[in-house]
Amino acid sequence: MNIETSLLVEIFRDITLPKEACNLIAEKFERISLKKGDTLLHANEIVHNQYYVCDGCLRTFFIDHSGKEHTLQFAIKDWWISDYTAFFTTSKAVMTIECIQDATVYKVSRTSMESLYDEIPQLETFFRKKMEKAFAAFQKRILSSLSFTARERYSSFINTYPFIEQSVKNYHIASYLGITTESLSRIRKEISQ
Amino acid sequence: MNIETSLLVEIFRDITLPKEACNLIAEKFERISLKKGDTLLHANEIVHNQYYVCDGCLRTFFIDHSGKEHTLQFAIKDWWISDYTAFFTTSKAVMTIECIQDATVYKVSRTSMESLYDEIPQLETFFRKKMEKAFAAFQKRILSSLSFTARERYSSFINTYPFIEQSVKNYHIASYLGITTESLSRIRKEISQ
DNA sequence: CAAAAAAATTGATGTAGGGTAATAAAAAAC
DNA sequence: GTTTTTTATTACCCTACATCAATTTTTTTG
């Protein structure tokens, strides 16, 4: 068994899994330990897996044609992370997943997911609901990039994700907000006064 | 029956539905005809429904504190539209859905969806996959807003959605790209030269 | 705890795109 | 088909944020 039942119960606490379901799931998960700075997924690799974050902090980022990094998302305890666009179609990653605080994650492949969906319909519902929340968060982010100033986006970020703010560098936050680290610094100064 | 089987077959052409499933679905759908300018959903209303666009063109937009409109998405033939963030939790819309070209849509409620998911598991898979695509599109849009200039976003938009470009006004496109109609005009001039 | 490296701040200046207003072109209404 | 309304363009000036270049602060390493 690759993951303890107690952890599975925690991951899927929104649904009640029969014991056999737990066993089915357990054998599909694999534990990975990561050090700060490790790369869990490189851009251009085929994406076979998604990861459940047990502890630590990771981020997915995109490197544009000029070499600049843009953070799409952070993930801390109890979040799932992958390059989902590529994961859903088992195609090449456009993003990189980097560990920014020593982390423990559990890996599960798309193939495993599909077979688990077949065998445990509750699981498909579980992930559909996760998906709905992630979709809503992305919608909110798009609207916020359309209608908020950099300062408003920063305030909204630290209010929405106070725990993430503590785990990441300012330049990570800047690259998430779509501004430079210098601009973020000026915004922080303004707010503190 | 509120929707013809032939149309259902078209909507769900990715999956093969048994006849009884078709009947179950058919009775949950309701046809709505819309004129240009009609509002299908007002901000602040509880969102009970999503809509399948049969023909015509609609958009969802958000009005910010200064009264400016920001287009989240357009929908043409064979797209689904709603304020999904609110739809998923049956809560209040933050956005408005407006018809921008005379349209025919089919309405289906969240409650109907949930009961259909129970009765027709293929349907949950169908919508999960739709969801995955929509999620990927949103991800692409966020990365594009982080890393592209207004001009690049415009080029990318007209390449990705040539059919939408034909159905909407330039100021709709501007509000989707996050720029003013004046800036879009300048960009168009630049490109045409 | 001293030295080196990484991260954050500050200042000076540049620029993409915004705001306002006037005009032109296209579409709708009569 | 002429008038009215809506949409798009252009010109001028402005602002939020970027870029570049030091400098300071914080963190890491030996």
Side-chain angles (χ1 to χ4, degrees), chain A residues 133-184:
Chain A
K133 274 186 197 157
F135 184 82
F138 269 10
Q139 169 178 320
K140 202 179 149 200
R141 181 133 172 237
I142 292 171
L143 291 179
S144 132
S145 87
L146 289 173
S147 63
F148 285 174
T149 62
R151 184 180 166 156
E152 290 167 329
R153 295 201 303 279
Y154 176 64
S155 299
S156 158
F157 176 80
I158 57 179
N159 289 328
T160 312
Y161 305 111
F163 296 105
I164 290 179
E165 196 214 350
Q166 292 160 21
S167 319
V168 307
K169 299 291 175 192
N170 282 344
Y171 61 82
H172 289 139
I173 298 179
S175 89
Y176 175 93
L177 296 175
I179 57 177
T180 59
T181 159
E182 293 92 336
S183 291
L184 178 55

Side-chain angles (χ1 to χ4, degrees), chain B residues 20-154:
Chain B
E20 319 85 68
C22 277
N23 294 337
L24 272 175
I25 300 171
E27 62 195 23
K28 309 284 194 184
F29 277 69
E30 181 187 332
R31 182 193 164 101
I32 299 178
S33 287
L34 296 163
K35 287 278 162 201
K36 182 173 170 176
D38 287 355
T39 298
L40 185 52
L41 172 79
H42 294 264
N44 278 316
E45 282 176 12
I46 300 274
V47 182
H48 293 288
N49 306 293
Q50 67 174 337
Y51 307 87
Y52 174 83
V53 181
C54 207
D55 60 53
C57 184
L58 297 94
R59 67 165 184 144
T60 50
F61 66 90
F62 167 72
I63 301 179
D64 71 21
H65 60 279
S66 73
K68 220 179 295 173
E69 293 181 359
H70 303 277
T71 299
L72 181 72
Q73 59 170 146
F74 297 108
I76 54 174
K77 184 175 172 44
D78 201 37
W79 288 47
W80 292 83
I81 196 166
S82 189
D83 178 339
Y84 280 105
T85 298
F87 175 72
F88 291 144
T89 51
T90 316
S91 55
K92 280 188 184 177
V94 296
M95 297 192 293
T96 300
I97 306 180
E98 178 196 29
C99 171
I100 52 182
Q101 285 295 318
D102 293 3
T104 310
V105 304
Y106 284 87
K107 166 171 117 173
V108 57
S109 73
R110 167 105 183 153
T111 324
S112 298
M113 289 306 305
E114 297 281 1
S115 75
L116 288 172
Y117 285 162
D118 275 352
E119 294 168 273
I120 313 162
Q122 296 162 284
L123 214 64
E124 181 150 14
T125 308
F126 175 85
F127 277 102
R128 173 171 59 84
K129 291 190 172 163
K130 282 272 166 206
M131 193 66 203
E132 289 176 355
K133 276 186 195 155
F135 184 82
F138 269 11
Q139 170 178 319
K140 201 179 148 200
R141 181 132 173 238
I142 292 171
L143 292 180
S144 131
S145 86
L146 289 173
S147 63
F148 286 174
T149 61
R151 184 181 167 155
E152 290 167 328
R153 296 201 301 279
Y154 176 63

Side-chain angles (χ1 to χ4, degrees), chain A residues 29-114:
Chain A
F29 277 68
E30 182 188 331
R31 181 192 164 103
I32 300 178
S33 287
L34 296 163
K35 286 279 161 199
K36 182 172 171 176
D38 288 355
T39 298
L40 185 51
L41 174 78
H42 294 265
N44 278 317
E45 282 176 13
I46 300 275
V47 182
H48 292 289
N49 306 293
Q50 68 175 337
Y51 307 87
Y52 174 82
V53 181
C54 207
D55 59 53
C57 185
L58 297 93
R59 67 164 184 145
T60 51
F61 65 90
F62 167 73
I63 301 179
D64 71 22
H65 60 278
S66 74
K68 221 179 291 173
E69 293 182 359
H70 304 278
T71 299
L72 181 72
Q73 60 171 145
F74 297 108
I76 55 173
K77 185 176 172 43
D78 202 36
W79 289 47
W80 292 83
I81 195 165
S82 189
D83 178 339
Y84 280 105
T85 298
F87 175 71
F88 290 145
T89 51
T90 316
S91 54
K92 280 188 183 176
V94 296
M95 297 193 293
T96 299
I97 307 181
E98 178 195 29
C99 172
I100 52 182
Q101 285 295 316
D102 292 4
T104 310
V105 304
Y106 284 87
K107 166 171 116 174
V108 57
S109 74
R110 168 105 182 152
T111 324
S112 298
M113 289 305 307
E114 297 281 0

Side-chain angles (χ1 to χ4, degrees), chain B residues 36 68 149-150 178-180 182-183 186:
Chain B
K36 182 173 170 176
K68 220 179 295 173
T149 61
I179 57 177
T180 59
E182 293 90 340
S183 291
R186 281 170 211 123

